[in-house]
Amino acid sequence: MKAGGVGVTQRRAPSGQGPARRPGTGSRTRQTNPVSRTRQSQTVSRTRQRPALSRRTVNVNRGETKRTTAPRPRALTGRATVLIVVFVALALAYTYPLRVYLAQKSQIAQLEADQAAQRKAIDAKTIDLQKWKDPEYLRAQARQQLFYVDPGDTPLTVIPPDPADKSAKPTAPAPDRWYETLWSSVEAADAEQPK
């Protein structure tokens, strides 16, 4: 920016955030008054005319000057923070419907599996029903389950042995208790006579 034919560079604020602003001026307002521009250029030219020693302090005691570093700007700006908050709100808003959708999908899969199992059971029952309509199968089941016989046949029934009739087998003697075994060994050792 050139004002009054003199090249002017804007000073940066110590924080490194941009050009320094004078108090009382808005950050977005632009001065269009030509008189104020000339005053600014006169102020800038006065500061340039000062000797360098009066503007800067020189540290004579030390041989080196101390360097200062400007603080780093913040990592997150206001827009980034708002964007992150919006994304988090959207994620939270979509979690419940997504959970309901996944629960319904698994419930549908379970119901379809149950329906397929019921169809298999229905098919098996249909086959059994077709068997019962056959007269030969009906006669075989009557003989097997109800012990029916055709006229003229002699029925034979095999009676299995009674499980309570196992007294013929000898029972083994019950083992001695440990303390009885110990006491009998003590008695046997006491009965021995030393020679």
Side-chain angles (χ1 to χ4, degrees), residues 2-193:
K2 287 194 173 189
V6 178
V8 178
T9 59
Q10 293 180 343
R11 290 180 54 199
R12 301 206 43 90
S15 65
Q17 293 293 323
R21 306 240 187 255
R22 292 185 182 177
T25 61
S27 61
R28 300 272 180 188
T29 59
R30 189 172 181 186
Q31 295 177 352
T32 57
N33 190 354
V35 176
S36 64
R37 284 188 186 169
T38 57
R39 285 185 188 160
Q40 286 177 354
S41 64
Q42 289 173 357
T43 308
V44 171
S45 63
R46 283 184 199 156
T47 58
R48 294 196 82 158
Q49 291 173 358
R50 290 185 194 160
L53 292 176
S54 66
R55 279 189 282 155
R56 296 185 185 169
T57 59
V58 178
N59 195 352
V60 180
N61 295 339
R62 298 181 195 164
E64 300 175 15
T65 59
K66 184 178 178 183
R67 288 191 158 199
T68 59
T69 57
R72 295 181 65 191
R74 293 186 314 174
L76 291 176
T77 62
R79 287 182 184 173
T81 306
V82 168
L83 190 63
I84 289 172
V85 167
V86 166
F87 279 140
V88 168
L90 286 174
L92 291 176
Y94 283 121
T95 52
Y96 181 73
L98 184 63
R99 184 174 39 165
V100 169
Y101 169 75
L102 293 176
Q104 287 177 351
K105 194 171 182 181
S106 66
Q107 186 180 11
I108 288 171
Q110 178 66 35
L111 290 174
E112 286 176 349
D114 291 346
Q115 191 177 24
Q118 287 176 354
R119 283 187 184 140
K120 286 182 182 178
I122 289 171
D123 291 341
K125 299 289 183 186
T126 306
I127 292 171
D128 283 346
L129 184 61
Q130 293 298 326
K131 285 181 185 177
W132 282 102
K133 289 182 180 179
D134 184 22
E136 286 298 319
Y137 183 78
L138 189 60
R139 258 190 235 118
Q141 290 300 320
R143 273 190 228 124
Q144 182 181 5
Q145 294 179 6
L146 302 174
F147 303 109
Y148 281 2
V149 259
D150 289 330
D153 286 346
T154 307
L156 296 175
T157 306
V158 179
I159 300 173
D162 190 21
D165 211 13
K166 293 186 178 179
S167 61
K169 288 186 178 179
T171 58
D176 292 336
R177 296 185 179 109
W178 66 272
Y179 53 85
E180 290 175 352
T181 307
L182 178 66
W183 187 250
S184 64
S185 67
V186 168
E187 286 178 344
D190 192 34
E192 289 181 12
Q193 304 237 348

